[in-house]
Amino acid sequence: MDKEVLLDIQGLSKSFGRLEVLKDISEKIYKGEKVVIIGPSGSGKSTFLRCLNCMEDPTAGSIIFEGVDIADMKVDINVHRRHIGMVFQQFNLFNNKTVLQNISLAPVFVGLQQLRKDKRYNFFTSLGNRFRKEKKPLKEIGRTKKTIREECEKQAMELLSRIGLEEKAQAYPSTLSGGQKQRIAIVRALAMHPTVMLFDEPTSALDPEMVGEVLELIKAVAEQGMTMVIVTHEMGFAKEVGTRVLFMDGGGILEQGTPDEIFNHPKSDRLKDFLSKVLA
């Protein structure tokens, strides 16, 4: 049985002015994979990751996600981003909102947006039904603004409970440690029930003693079958979690393989040189 392709990257290039950061990359990400991206600074790792949900618009190429080229400027990227979770280096929590509000904000927004859409549909359908012989059925609306908020807050509390931070629900991000902020950023992304999770060096802004708790959470999410693409400088983590490792250099994927192939049997001199420095 063929593996399901979740992201199909075709001829992806990205330039900032005259600087070509990504050079004609074609790659497939399969459902359930844990793809880890390693490489030296400036190799294009983070830019590649950010292009996968069009936080950076590609200069050329296409990114097929769930049958749609999300790199097409005519596509409403916000609709598709709901299914692509993103965890940043710097947490990106809203400092003026509580932890509970940070986690429930996006699900509440999407829920209210759908509620308004369903109500508009029913209004115009019922209006049209006055002139139709065969009436169109109306959508059943069992949710209200209040119940949507209650459901999303309940889910947020369940996620906080999973990571042992339910007592921080009413706290503000400024009162939390770096490790706590990053774990909350991860469950905030999970609250949208994404199809794939993107991690951009999720431990790079943490003190060394806080790295472990964040990596353990990512491992737990990985064990549940989530498809992941992770840019990291943690080589031990890459070996343990990755099902496939991509080595990027000079704006392209220079070598790829299983963790054993990449770390124990590298082929290119460039990868051998890189590993000799980061594993020393």
Side-chain angles (χ1 to χ4, degrees):
M1 185 175 179
D2 293 337
K3 292 184 289 184
E4 180 183 344
V5 177
L6 204 55
L7 281 163
D8 189 357
I9 302 109
Q10 302 171 2
L12 179 65
S13 296
K14 175 64 181 177
S15 297
F16 295 98
R18 295 183 178 179
L19 178 62
E20 191 177 20
V21 179
L22 300 177
K23 303 174 183 177
D24 193 25
I25 296 175
S26 293
E27 190 58 63
K28 289 180 172 63
I29 308 295
Y30 296 93
K31 185 177 181 179
E33 274 198 307
K34 283 71 180 166
V35 177
V36 180
I37 305 173
I38 63 172
S41 297
S43 60
K45 305 185 302 295
S46 290
T47 301
F48 176 64
L49 192 78
R50 292 169 70 88
C51 281
L52 294 186
N53 69 351
C54 295
M55 293 193 69
E56 294 287 357
D57 291 323
T59 306
S62 59
I63 302 167
I64 311 300
F65 175 63
E66 296 184 331
V68 177
D69 181 5
I70 60 174
D72 187 337
M73 298 299 286
K74 297 188 291 293
V75 169
D76 184 355
I77 186 59
N78 290 321
V79 171
H80 300 281
R81 278 204 192 112
R82 295 173 187 173
H83 308 289
I84 305 175
M86 182 80 179
V87 178
F88 304 89
Q89 298 178 33
Q90 298 294 337
F91 324 128
N92 287 21
L93 298 175
F94 295 105
N95 288 321
N96 63 332
K97 296 188 180 297
T98 66
V99 166
L100 184 66
Q101 290 170 332
N102 265 281
I103 297 172
S104 61
L105 184 65
V108 167
F109 175 82
V110 171
L112 293 178
Q113 191 178 52
Q114 186 61 49
L115 178 63
R116 288 191 293 270
K117 184 177 178 181
D118 290 344
K119 285 183 175 180
R120 281 198 303 271
Y121 174 86
N122 282 356
F123 174 79
F124 288 109
T125 300
S126 62
L127 199 63
N129 280 345
R130 297 179 183 180
F131 308 96
R132 297 188 186 102
K133 290 183 177 180
E134 292 188 13
K135 310 299 184 185
K136 285 187 176 181
L138 301 182
K139 291 188 177 181
E140 185 177 343
I141 301 176
R143 306 172 82 195
T144 64
K145 291 180 180 180
K146 181 181 178 182
T147 59
I148 287 170
R149 289 194 174 91
E150 287 175 347
E151 288 169 11
C152 293
E153 288 180 358
K154 180 182 177 182
Q155 176 190 237
M157 288 302 300
E158 289 172 353
L159 288 167
L160 282 172
S161 179
R162 281 172 56 185
I163 60 172
L165 291 176
E166 60 268 38
E167 77 281 0
K168 299 293 185 181
Q170 300 304 323
Y172 287 88
S174 59
T175 66
L176 306 176
S177 70
Q180 289 172 333
K181 289 178 184 177
Q182 194 61 297
R183 284 188 288 158
I184 287 163
I186 292 170
V187 298
R188 177 182 61 177
L190 291 173
M192 290 297 289
H193 305 290
T195 306
V196 58
M197 288 276 286
L198 310 179
F199 294 86
D200 187 9
E201 298 194 23
T203 61
S204 64
L206 302 178
D207 293 332
E209 65 270 20
M210 297 177 182
V211 169
E213 62 190 40
V214 172
L215 295 183
E216 284 302 317
L217 176 56
I218 297 174
K219 289 177 192 174
V221 175
E223 288 169 0
Q224 293 175 357
M226 176 65 70
T227 305
M228 295 180 170
V229 185
I230 309 167
V231 171
T232 185
H233 58 272
E234 300 282 346
M235 297 300 119
F237 175 69
K239 290 179 185 179
E240 186 177 353
V241 172
T243 55
R244 185 157 55 105
V245 180
L246 309 182
F247 172 63
M248 289 190 66
D249 189 42
I253 299 171
L254 192 62
E255 193 169 336
Q256 64 172 285
T258 65
D260 178 62
E261 289 169 339
I262 291 296
F263 291 105
N264 299 327
H265 308 284
K267 297 175 183 177
S268 67
D269 290 337
R270 182 66 188 94
L271 176 54
K272 291 175 184 177
D273 179 61
F274 172 75
L275 292 176
S276 71
K277 294 173 181 176
V278 298
L279 297 177

